[in-house]
Structures are given as C-alpha cells and as structure tokens.
Amino acid sequence: GAVVSQHPSWVICKSGTSVKIECRSLDFQATTMFWYRQFPKQSLMLMATSNEGSKATYEQGVEKDKFLINHASLTLSTLTVTSAHPEDSSFYICSARDFRRGVYIQYFGAGTRLSVL
Amino acid sequence: SQQGEEDPQALSIQEGENATMNCSYKTSINNLQWYRQNSGRGLVHLILIRSNEREKHSGRLRVTLDTSKKSSSLLITASRAADTASYFCATDTQGGSEKLVFGKGTKLTVNP
C-alpha cells in the first residue's frame, strides 16, 4: 500500500504553546487529506478535510481557529494546534486519499500523540 | 452520526482459531473498507469491498458484504498472535461526501 508519513510521532508541550503536525504522502499525490482525533479506546473522529490549494472543511464542533490546517502542496498537509491546553491532549491521525483501481482509499499516518502539560 | 458499528467490541481467541468480526451500517454505501490498528499506531488498510460485491479474499482475510442487511463481516483464518489489534470498518456513503465513517472497532486479542 501507499506510504503516509506523519511527524512528530510524539510531542509534549506546555499549555499555551502551539504545535504543528505534518502529514506527507510519500509515493503519491493527494489532493485530499483528512485529520482525525482519537480518544483512548475509541474510534476515529474526523476533524477536518484538507484540500490542496483551498480552505479546509471542518466538521461540526471543531474550532477552525484552534486547529489550523494548511494543505500547501499535493504531498503535504499540516495541522497546527494553537494555544494548546490539556484538553487538547489526544492522538491525532492524518490520512491521504489515493485513487486506485477506480476507488478512493485512505492511507493513514502512524499518528501523533500530543500531551499538553 | 455513527455509521459503522462493529461487534463484538472485544474478542479473545487462541492462536490458530478463526476470528469473525461484524459490522453494520445505516445508509447505502459505495464501498466498505476494513482497517487494522495496532495499539498507539495509525490505521492499516486491509481490504475494500464494493457495494456490488458479496465476498472478497485477501490472504487469510475473507470479507463478506450483505447490502440487504447493511452488514459486513471480516474473517481472519488461522489467527496468529501478531493479528492482535483493533479492527475497524469504514464506509463511504452513497451520494454523500467523500468522508469515511468509522465504526467503534473490535479489539481482537490472539493468545499464543
């Protein structure tokens, strides 16, 4: 399958600081990437859809000013958690969508564990 | 709203046994996909079955789809300890957006 790289895999930061997470599709171009949040022992919750060259589409209840998404190229999307607080601590996962054999398949990064002190 | 719902929520079996997980969904779909997630890691795409397919195989995996019952099953044959992970089904809704909707997952433990 296709490779999606997510960095960093783990980050600890102080409350009030901002954290940037990168998501790269390594062997394919992705016009669309997705950002998810996952709480312990729960499923993935879609936060936003990132479209190359245009504004991200946020899911209901997700603060766009809090979670800034930039999809500057066909292989890179970034999620910036601004003014992070302890309640933002979570596991964040990105995925990049590829069109193969007539269907769209999402390939996922390894995730980023964010701990806000 | 939750689309895919897996059951059981947790499954514990011995190595060599088969593991069956089920997924139900609510609306018409274009296709259904199964993913695997090892603890603290991202998701790995396992298999995709289209809405006009009834069964699909990939190695030790067998997926069935019953669109009349809006359900799918994932069978892992001759399980190994390395199969221990959480398994999620995901659907993309027919006529809907490009988003995948994930179920809550089944946590599979394969004991050596």
Side-chain angles (χ1 to χ4, degrees), chain B residues 18-72:
Chain B
N18 296 340
T20 300
M21 291 160 270
N22 303 296
C23 167
S24 61
Y25 56 92
K26 296 185 175 69
T27 60
S28 297
I29 60 172
N30 290 316
N31 60 65
L32 184 144
Q33 303 179 50
W34 284 91
Y35 287 84
R36 164 202 168 116
Q37 183 181 33
N38 285 64
S39 181
R41 305 288 293 173
L43 275 70
V44 175
H45 182 263
L46 295 177
I47 195 166
L48 178 150
I49 186 165
R50 299 175 194 244
S51 60
N52 61 353
E53 297 177 309
R54 293 295 166 258
E55 188 171 312
K56 205 161 181 181
H57 297 254
S58 177
R60 293 184 296 113
L61 305 180
R62 173 176 167 253
V63 169
T64 63
L65 180 64
D66 187 335
T67 52
S68 66
K69 295 181 179 178
K70 291 186 169 59
S71 68
S72 173

Short mmCIF file of all heavy atoms in Angstrom, two decimals, chain B residues 18-72:
data_model
loop_
_atom_site.label_atom_id
_atom_site.label_comp_id
_atom_site.label_asym_id
_atom_site.label_seq_id
_atom_site.Cartn_x
_atom_site.Cartn_y
_atom_site.Cartn_z
N ASN B 18 -10.13 -19.24 14.23
CA ASN B 18 -10.61 -18.19 13.33
C ASN B 18 -11.27 -17.08 14.14
O ASN B 18 -11.87 -17.33 15.19
CB ASN B 18 -11.62 -18.75 12.33
CG ASN B 18 -11.01 -19.78 11.41
OD1 ASN B 18 -9.78 -19.84 11.24
ND2 ASN B 18 -11.85 -20.61 10.81
N ALA B 19 -11.18 -15.87 13.64
CA ALA B 19 -11.81 -14.72 14.29
C ALA B 19 -12.80 -14.09 13.32
O ALA B 19 -12.44 -13.81 12.17
CB ALA B 19 -10.76 -13.69 14.69
N THR B 20 -14.00 -13.87 13.79
CA THR B 20 -15.01 -13.23 12.95
C THR B 20 -15.50 -11.96 13.62
O THR B 20 -15.88 -11.96 14.79
CB THR B 20 -16.21 -14.16 12.72
OG1 THR B 20 -15.76 -15.35 12.07
CG2 THR B 20 -17.25 -13.48 11.84
N MET B 21 -15.47 -10.88 12.86
CA MET B 21 -15.96 -9.60 13.34
C MET B 21 -17.03 -9.10 12.39
O MET B 21 -16.94 -9.31 11.18
CB MET B 21 -14.81 -8.58 13.39
CG MET B 21 -13.81 -8.90 14.46
SD MET B 21 -12.22 -8.12 14.19
CE MET B 21 -11.40 -9.38 13.24
N ASN B 22 -18.03 -8.45 12.94
CA ASN B 22 -19.14 -7.98 12.14
C ASN B 22 -19.27 -6.47 12.18
O ASN B 22 -18.85 -5.82 13.15
CB ASN B 22 -20.45 -8.60 12.64
CG ASN B 22 -20.39 -10.11 12.63
OD1 ASN B 22 -20.28 -10.72 11.59
ND2 ASN B 22 -20.44 -10.71 13.82
N CYS B 23 -19.85 -5.94 11.14
CA CYS B 23 -20.04 -4.50 11.03
C CYS B 23 -21.41 -4.24 10.45
O CYS B 23 -21.78 -4.86 9.45
CB CYS B 23 -18.94 -3.92 10.14
SG CYS B 23 -19.20 -2.22 9.60
N SER B 24 -22.15 -3.35 11.06
CA SER B 24 -23.44 -2.95 10.50
C SER B 24 -23.42 -1.46 10.22
O SER B 24 -22.70 -0.70 10.88
CB SER B 24 -24.58 -3.29 11.46
OG SER B 24 -24.40 -2.60 12.69
N TYR B 25 -24.17 -1.06 9.23
CA TYR B 25 -24.21 0.35 8.88
C TYR B 25 -25.64 0.74 8.55
O TYR B 25 -26.52 -0.12 8.44
CB TYR B 25 -23.27 0.64 7.70
CG TYR B 25 -23.52 -0.19 6.47
CD1 TYR B 25 -24.38 0.27 5.46
CD2 TYR B 25 -22.91 -1.43 6.30
CE1 TYR B 25 -24.61 -0.49 4.34
CE2 TYR B 25 -23.15 -2.18 5.17
CZ TYR B 25 -23.99 -1.72 4.19
OH TYR B 25 -24.23 -2.48 3.08
N LYS B 26 -25.86 2.04 8.42
CA LYS B 26 -27.25 2.51 8.34
C LYS B 26 -27.70 2.95 6.95
O LYS B 26 -28.85 2.75 6.57
CB LYS B 26 -27.46 3.67 9.31
CG LYS B 26 -27.29 3.28 10.79
CD LYS B 26 -27.63 4.44 11.70
CE LYS B 26 -27.59 4.05 13.17
NZ LYS B 26 -26.25 3.76 13.64
N THR B 27 -26.80 3.57 6.19
CA THR B 27 -27.23 4.13 4.90
C THR B 27 -26.58 3.39 3.74
O THR B 27 -25.66 2.60 3.93
CB THR B 27 -26.87 5.62 4.82
OG1 THR B 27 -25.46 5.75 4.94
CG2 THR B 27 -27.55 6.40 5.94
N SER B 28 -27.07 3.63 2.55
CA SER B 28 -26.49 2.99 1.37
C SER B 28 -25.05 3.44 1.17
O SER B 28 -24.70 4.58 1.45
CB SER B 28 -27.31 3.35 0.13
OG SER B 28 -28.62 2.84 0.26
N ILE B 29 -24.23 2.54 0.69
CA ILE B 29 -22.80 2.82 0.58
C ILE B 29 -22.29 2.56 -0.84
O ILE B 29 -22.91 1.84 -1.63
CB ILE B 29 -21.99 1.94 1.56
CG1 ILE B 29 -22.21 0.45 1.27
CG2 ILE B 29 -22.33 2.29 3.00
CD1 ILE B 29 -21.31 -0.48 2.05
N ASN B 30 -21.14 3.15 -1.13
CA ASN B 30 -20.42 2.83 -2.36
C ASN B 30 -19.51 1.64 -2.14
O ASN B 30 -19.40 0.75 -2.97
CB ASN B 30 -19.58 4.03 -2.83
CG ASN B 30 -20.43 5.16 -3.32
OD1 ASN B 30 -21.40 4.94 -4.06
ND2 ASN B 30 -20.10 6.37 -2.92
N ASN B 31 -18.83 1.65 -1.03
CA ASN B 31 -17.97 0.53 -0.68
C ASN B 31 -17.75 0.52 0.83
O ASN B 31 -18.10 1.47 1.54
CB ASN B 31 -16.63 0.61 -1.43
CG ASN B 31 -15.87 1.88 -1.13
OD1 ASN B 31 -15.43 2.11 -0.02
ND2 ASN B 31 -15.69 2.72 -2.14
N LEU B 32 -17.19 -0.57 1.30
CA LEU B 32 -16.91 -0.73 2.71
C LEU B 32 -15.47 -1.21 2.84
O LEU B 32 -15.02 -2.06 2.07
CB LEU B 32 -17.87 -1.74 3.35
CG LEU B 32 -17.77 -1.96 4.87
CD1 LEU B 32 -19.16 -2.19 5.46
CD2 LEU B 32 -16.84 -3.09 5.21
N GLN B 33 -14.77 -0.64 3.79
CA GLN B 33 -13.36 -0.98 3.96
C GLN B 33 -13.10 -1.45 5.38
O GLN B 33 -13.78 -1.03 6.31
CB GLN B 33 -12.49 0.24 3.65
CG GLN B 33 -12.73 0.81 2.25
CD GLN B 33 -11.91 2.04 1.95
OE1 GLN B 33 -10.70 2.05 2.16
NE2 GLN B 33 -12.55 3.08 1.44
N TRP B 34 -12.14 -2.31 5.51
CA TRP B 34 -11.70 -2.76 6.83
C TRP B 34 -10.27 -2.28 7.06
O TRP B 34 -9.42 -2.38 6.18
CB TRP B 34 -11.77 -4.28 6.96
CG TRP B 34 -13.17 -4.80 7.15
CD1 TRP B 34 -14.05 -5.18 6.18
CD2 TRP B 34 -13.83 -5.00 8.40
NE1 TRP B 34 -15.24 -5.59 6.76
CE2 TRP B 34 -15.12 -5.50 8.11
CE3 TRP B 34 -13.48 -4.80 9.74
CZ2 TRP B 34 -16.05 -5.82 9.11
CZ3 TRP B 34 -14.40 -5.11 10.73
CH2 TRP B 34 -15.67 -5.62 10.42
N TYR B 35 -10.05 -1.78 8.26
CA TYR B 35 -8.73 -1.30 8.67
C TYR B 35 -8.32 -1.99 9.95
O TYR B 35 -9.16 -2.42 10.74
CB TYR B 35 -8.75 0.22 8.91
CG TYR B 35 -8.83 1.07 7.67
CD1 TYR B 35 -10.06 1.35 7.07
CD2 TYR B 35 -7.68 1.62 7.11
CE1 TYR B 35 -10.13 2.16 5.94
CE2 TYR B 35 -7.75 2.42 5.98
CZ TYR B 35 -8.97 2.68 5.40
OH TYR B 35 -9.04 3.48 4.28
N ARG B 36 -7.02 -2.02 10.16
CA ARG B 36 -6.47 -2.59 11.38
C ARG B 36 -5.63 -1.50 12.06
O ARG B 36 -4.95 -0.72 11.40
CB ARG B 36 -5.60 -3.77 10.97
CG ARG B 36 -4.64 -4.28 12.01
CD ARG B 36 -3.51 -5.05 11.34
NE ARG B 36 -2.47 -5.28 12.31
CZ ARG B 36 -2.10 -6.49 12.71
NH1 ARG B 36 -2.70 -7.55 12.22
NH2 ARG B 36 -1.15 -6.64 13.60
N GLN B 37 -5.69 -1.49 13.40
CA GLN B 37 -4.89 -0.53 14.14
C GLN B 37 -4.20 -1.23 15.29
O GLN B 37 -4.86 -1.76 16.19
CB GLN B 37 -5.74 0.63 14.68
CG GLN B 37 -4.92 1.70 15.40
CD GLN B 37 -5.76 2.82 15.96
OE1 GLN B 37 -6.90 2.61 16.37
NE2 GLN B 37 -5.20 4.04 15.97
N ASN B 38 -2.88 -1.23 15.26
CA ASN B 38 -2.13 -1.71 16.41
C ASN B 38 -2.14 -0.60 17.45
O ASN B 38 -2.24 0.58 17.13
CB ASN B 38 -0.70 -2.06 16.02
CG ASN B 38 -0.65 -3.37 15.26
OD1 ASN B 38 -1.20 -3.49 14.16
ND2 ASN B 38 -0.02 -4.36 15.83
N SER B 39 -2.01 -0.98 18.70
CA SER B 39 -2.12 -0.04 19.81
C SER B 39 -1.19 1.15 19.64
O SER B 39 0.02 0.98 19.44
CB SER B 39 -1.81 -0.76 21.12
OG SER B 39 -1.94 0.12 22.22
N GLY B 40 -1.76 2.36 19.68
CA GLY B 40 -0.95 3.56 19.60
C GLY B 40 -0.38 3.86 18.23
O GLY B 40 0.55 4.66 18.11
N ARG B 41 -0.91 3.23 17.21
CA ARG B 41 -0.41 3.42 15.85
C ARG B 41 -1.51 3.90 14.93
O ARG B 41 -2.68 3.99 15.30
CB ARG B 41 0.18 2.11 15.33
CG ARG B 41 1.25 1.50 16.21
CD ARG B 41 2.52 2.29 16.15
NE ARG B 41 3.14 2.21 14.83
CZ ARG B 41 4.20 2.94 14.47
NH1 ARG B 41 4.72 3.81 15.29
NH2 ARG B 41 4.71 2.79 13.27
N GLY B 42 -1.13 4.17 13.68
CA GLY B 42 -2.11 4.56 12.69
C GLY B 42 -2.85 3.35 12.17
O GLY B 42 -2.67 2.23 12.63
N LEU B 43 -3.72 3.59 11.21
CA LEU B 43 -4.52 2.50 10.65
C LEU B 43 -3.90 1.94 9.39
O LEU B 43 -3.33 2.68 8.58
CB LEU B 43 -5.93 3.01 10.31
CG LEU B 43 -6.93 3.00 11.46
CD1 LEU B 43 -6.59 4.04 12.50
CD2 LEU B 43 -8.34 3.21 10.93
N VAL B 44 -4.03 0.66 9.21
CA VAL B 44 -3.53 -0.01 8.02
C VAL B 44 -4.72 -0.51 7.23
O VAL B 44 -5.59 -1.21 7.77
CB VAL B 44 -2.60 -1.18 8.40
CG1 VAL B 44 -2.19 -1.95 7.14
CG2 VAL B 44 -1.37 -0.67 9.13
N HIS B 45 -4.76 -0.16 5.95
CA HIS B 45 -5.86 -0.60 5.10
C HIS B 45 -5.72 -2.09 4.81
O HIS B 45 -4.66 -2.55 4.37
CB HIS B 45 -5.85 0.19 3.80
CG HIS B 45 -6.96 -0.15 2.87
ND1 HIS B 45 -6.83 -1.03 1.82
CD2 HIS B 45 -8.25 0.27 2.86
CE1 HIS B 45 -8.00 -1.13 1.20
NE2 HIS B 45 -8.87 -0.36 1.80
N LEU B 46 -6.79 -2.84 5.06
CA LEU B 46 -6.74 -4.29 4.84
C LEU B 46 -7.40 -4.68 3.53
O LEU B 46 -6.82 -5.39 2.72
CB LEU B 46 -7.43 -5.00 6.00
CG LEU B 46 -6.79 -4.88 7.38
CD1 LEU B 46 -7.66 -5.59 8.42
CD2 LEU B 46 -5.39 -5.45 7.37
N ILE B 47 -8.63 -4.25 3.37
CA ILE B 47 -9.39 -4.75 2.22
C ILE B 47 -10.58 -3.84 1.96
O ILE B 47 -11.13 -3.25 2.89
CB ILE B 47 -9.83 -6.21 2.49
CG1 ILE B 47 -10.29 -6.91 1.21
CG2 ILE B 47 -10.88 -6.27 3.58
CD1 ILE B 47 -10.40 -8.42 1.37
N LEU B 48 -10.94 -3.71 0.71
CA LEU B 48 -12.10 -2.93 0.31
C LEU B 48 -13.05 -3.83 -0.45
O LEU B 48 -12.62 -4.61 -1.31
CB LEU B 48 -11.66 -1.76 -0.57
CG LEU B 48 -12.74 -0.83 -1.14
CD1 LEU B 48 -12.18 0.58 -1.32
CD2 LEU B 48 -13.29 -1.33 -2.48
N ILE B 49 -14.32 -3.72 -0.15
CA ILE B 49 -15.33 -4.47 -0.90
C ILE B 49 -16.35 -3.47 -1.42
O ILE B 49 -16.84 -2.61 -0.70
CB ILE B 49 -15.97 -5.58 -0.02
CG1 ILE B 49 -16.90 -6.44 -0.86
CG2 ILE B 49 -16.67 -5.01 1.20
CD1 ILE B 49 -17.29 -7.76 -0.18
N ARG B 50 -16.63 -3.59 -2.70
CA ARG B 50 -17.56 -2.65 -3.33
C ARG B 50 -19.00 -3.09 -3.05
O ARG B 50 -19.27 -4.25 -2.74
CB ARG B 50 -17.33 -2.59 -4.82
CG ARG B 50 -15.95 -2.12 -5.21
CD ARG B 50 -15.76 -2.22 -6.71
NE ARG B 50 -14.37 -2.10 -7.09
CZ ARG B 50 -13.89 -1.11 -7.83
NH1 ARG B 50 -14.69 -0.13 -8.25
NH2 ARG B 50 -12.61 -1.07 -8.14
N SER B 51 -19.91 -2.17 -3.22
CA SER B 51 -21.32 -2.45 -2.89
C SER B 51 -21.91 -3.53 -3.80
O SER B 51 -22.89 -4.17 -3.43
CB SER B 51 -22.15 -1.17 -2.99
OG SER B 51 -22.10 -0.65 -4.29
N ASN B 52 -21.32 -3.76 -4.98
CA ASN B 52 -21.85 -4.79 -5.88
C ASN B 52 -21.12 -6.13 -5.72
O ASN B 52 -21.34 -7.07 -6.48
CB ASN B 52 -21.78 -4.33 -7.34
CG ASN B 52 -20.38 -4.07 -7.80
OD1 ASN B 52 -19.43 -4.10 -7.01
ND2 ASN B 52 -20.22 -3.79 -9.08
N GLU B 53 -20.25 -6.21 -4.73
CA GLU B 53 -19.55 -7.46 -4.45
C GLU B 53 -20.13 -8.10 -3.20
O GLU B 53 -20.62 -7.40 -2.30
CB GLU B 53 -18.04 -7.20 -4.25
CG GLU B 53 -17.37 -6.65 -5.50
CD GLU B 53 -15.90 -6.32 -5.26
OE1 GLU B 53 -15.60 -5.61 -4.28
OE2 GLU B 53 -15.07 -6.77 -6.07
N ARG B 54 -20.05 -9.41 -3.12
CA ARG B 54 -20.60 -10.12 -1.96
C ARG B 54 -19.52 -10.73 -1.09
O ARG B 54 -19.72 -10.92 0.12
CB ARG B 54 -21.56 -11.22 -2.43
CG ARG B 54 -22.81 -10.65 -3.07
CD ARG B 54 -23.64 -9.86 -2.06
NE ARG B 54 -24.65 -9.05 -2.72
CZ ARG B 54 -24.52 -7.73 -2.90
NH1 ARG B 54 -23.42 -7.09 -2.49
NH2 ARG B 54 -25.47 -7.03 -3.49
N GLU B 55 -18.39 -11.04 -1.70
CA GLU B 55 -17.33 -11.68 -0.94
C GLU B 55 -15.99 -11.33 -1.57
O GLU B 55 -15.88 -11.20 -2.79
CB GLU B 55 -17.54 -13.19 -0.93
CG GLU B 55 -16.61 -13.96 -0.02
CD GLU B 55 -17.01 -15.41 0.10
OE1 GLU B 55 -18.20 -15.69 0.33
OE2 GLU B 55 -16.13 -16.27 -0.05
N LYS B 56 -14.98 -11.21 -0.71
CA LYS B 56 -13.66 -10.92 -1.22
C LYS B 56 -12.62 -11.57 -0.31
O LYS B 56 -12.82 -11.66 0.91
CB LYS B 56 -13.44 -9.40 -1.25
CG LYS B 56 -12.41 -8.95 -2.25
CD LYS B 56 -12.59 -7.49 -2.55
CE LYS B 56 -11.58 -7.05 -3.58
NZ LYS B 56 -11.71 -5.61 -3.88
N HIS B 57 -11.53 -12.02 -0.90
CA HIS B 57 -10.50 -12.69 -0.13
C HIS B 57 -9.17 -11.95 -0.32
O HIS B 57 -8.89 -11.42 -1.39
CB HIS B 57 -10.32 -14.13 -0.61
CG HIS B 57 -11.52 -14.98 -0.42
ND1 HIS B 57 -11.61 -15.95 0.56
CD2 HIS B 57 -12.71 -15.00 -1.07
CE1 HIS B 57 -12.79 -16.54 0.48
NE2 HIS B 57 -13.48 -15.99 -0.49
N SER B 58 -8.37 -11.98 0.72
CA SER B 58 -7.01 -11.47 0.63
C SER B 58 -6.18 -12.21 1.66
O SER B 58 -6.27 -11.95 2.86
CB SER B 58 -6.96 -9.97 0.89
OG SER B 58 -5.63 -9.50 0.87
N GLY B 59 -5.39 -13.18 1.20
CA GLY B 59 -4.60 -13.98 2.13
C GLY B 59 -5.49 -14.70 3.13
O GLY B 59 -6.40 -15.44 2.75
N ARG B 60 -5.27 -14.46 4.41
CA ARG B 60 -6.08 -15.10 5.45
C ARG B 60 -7.35 -14.32 5.78
O ARG B 60 -8.08 -14.68 6.70
CB ARG B 60 -5.23 -15.27 6.72
CG ARG B 60 -4.08 -16.25 6.58
CD ARG B 60 -3.33 -16.46 7.90
NE ARG B 60 -2.68 -15.24 8.37
CZ ARG B 60 -3.03 -14.58 9.45
NH1 ARG B 60 -4.04 -14.99 10.21
NH2 ARG B 60 -2.39 -13.48 9.81
N LEU B 61 -7.59 -13.27 5.04
CA LEU B 61 -8.78 -12.45 5.28
C LEU B 61 -9.89 -12.80 4.30
O LEU B 61 -9.65 -13.00 3.12
CB LEU B 61 -8.44 -10.96 5.12
CG LEU B 61 -7.30 -10.40 5.95
CD1 LEU B 61 -7.12 -8.92 5.65
CD2 LEU B 61 -7.54 -10.63 7.41
N ARG B 62 -11.10 -12.84 4.84
CA ARG B 62 -12.28 -13.03 3.99
C ARG B 62 -13.32 -12.03 4.45
O ARG B 62 -13.67 -11.98 5.63
CB ARG B 62 -12.81 -14.46 4.12
CG ARG B 62 -14.13 -14.68 3.39
CD ARG B 62 -14.55 -16.15 3.46
NE ARG B 62 -15.95 -16.30 3.03
CZ ARG B 62 -16.95 -16.55 3.88
NH1 ARG B 62 -16.73 -16.69 5.17
NH2 ARG B 62 -18.18 -16.68 3.42
N VAL B 63 -13.80 -11.23 3.53
CA VAL B 63 -14.80 -10.23 3.83
C VAL B 63 -16.07 -10.55 3.06
O VAL B 63 -16.02 -10.90 1.88
CB VAL B 63 -14.30 -8.82 3.46
CG1 VAL B 63 -15.44 -7.81 3.53
CG2 VAL B 63 -13.18 -8.40 4.39
N THR B 64 -17.19 -10.43 3.74
CA THR B 64 -18.48 -10.56 3.07
C THR B 64 -19.26 -9.27 3.24
O THR B 64 -19.04 -8.51 4.18
CB THR B 64 -19.30 -11.72 3.65
OG1 THR B 64 -19.59 -11.45 5.03
CG2 THR B 64 -18.56 -13.04 3.53
N LEU B 65 -20.16 -9.05 2.32
CA LEU B 65 -21.00 -7.86 2.36
C LEU B 65 -22.42 -8.25 2.00
O LEU B 65 -22.64 -8.88 0.96
CB LEU B 65 -20.49 -6.80 1.39
CG LEU B 65 -21.29 -5.49 1.33
CD1 LEU B 65 -21.24 -4.75 2.66
CD2 LEU B 65 -20.77 -4.60 0.20
N ASP B 66 -23.35 -7.88 2.83
CA ASP B 66 -24.77 -8.11 2.58
C ASP B 66 -25.46 -6.75 2.60
O ASP B 66 -25.78 -6.22 3.67
CB ASP B 66 -25.36 -9.05 3.65
CG ASP B 66 -26.78 -9.46 3.35
OD1 ASP B 66 -27.49 -8.71 2.64
OD2 ASP B 66 -27.22 -10.51 3.84
N THR B 67 -25.67 -6.21 1.43
CA THR B 67 -26.25 -4.86 1.37
C THR B 67 -27.72 -4.85 1.78
O THR B 67 -28.23 -3.82 2.21
CB THR B 67 -26.11 -4.26 -0.04
OG1 THR B 67 -26.62 -5.19 -0.99
CG2 THR B 67 -24.65 -3.97 -0.36
N SER B 68 -28.39 -5.99 1.66
CA SER B 68 -29.80 -6.03 2.07
C SER B 68 -29.92 -5.92 3.59
O SER B 68 -30.88 -5.35 4.10
CB SER B 68 -30.47 -7.32 1.59
OG SER B 68 -29.91 -8.45 2.24
N LYS B 69 -28.92 -6.46 4.27
CA LYS B 69 -28.92 -6.37 5.74
C LYS B 69 -28.02 -5.24 6.23
O LYS B 69 -27.92 -5.01 7.44
CB LYS B 69 -28.44 -7.69 6.34
CG LYS B 69 -29.36 -8.86 6.08
CD LYS B 69 -28.82 -10.13 6.73
CE LYS B 69 -29.76 -11.30 6.48
NZ LYS B 69 -29.24 -12.57 7.06
N LYS B 70 -27.38 -4.56 5.30
CA LYS B 70 -26.45 -3.49 5.65
C LYS B 70 -25.43 -3.99 6.67
O LYS B 70 -25.28 -3.42 7.78
CB LYS B 70 -27.20 -2.26 6.17
CG LYS B 70 -28.01 -1.53 5.10
CD LYS B 70 -28.60 -0.24 5.63
CE LYS B 70 -29.18 0.61 4.52
NZ LYS B 70 -30.25 -0.05 3.75
N SER B 71 -24.77 -5.06 6.31
CA SER B 71 -23.79 -5.62 7.23
C SER B 71 -22.63 -6.24 6.47
O SER B 71 -22.75 -6.63 5.30
CB SER B 71 -24.44 -6.66 8.14
OG SER B 71 -24.82 -7.79 7.39
N SER B 72 -21.52 -6.34 7.15
CA SER B 72 -20.31 -6.94 6.60
C SER B 72 -19.63 -7.75 7.70
O SER B 72 -19.81 -7.47 8.88
CB SER B 72 -19.37 -5.85 6.10
OG SER B 72 -18.11 -6.40 5.71
#
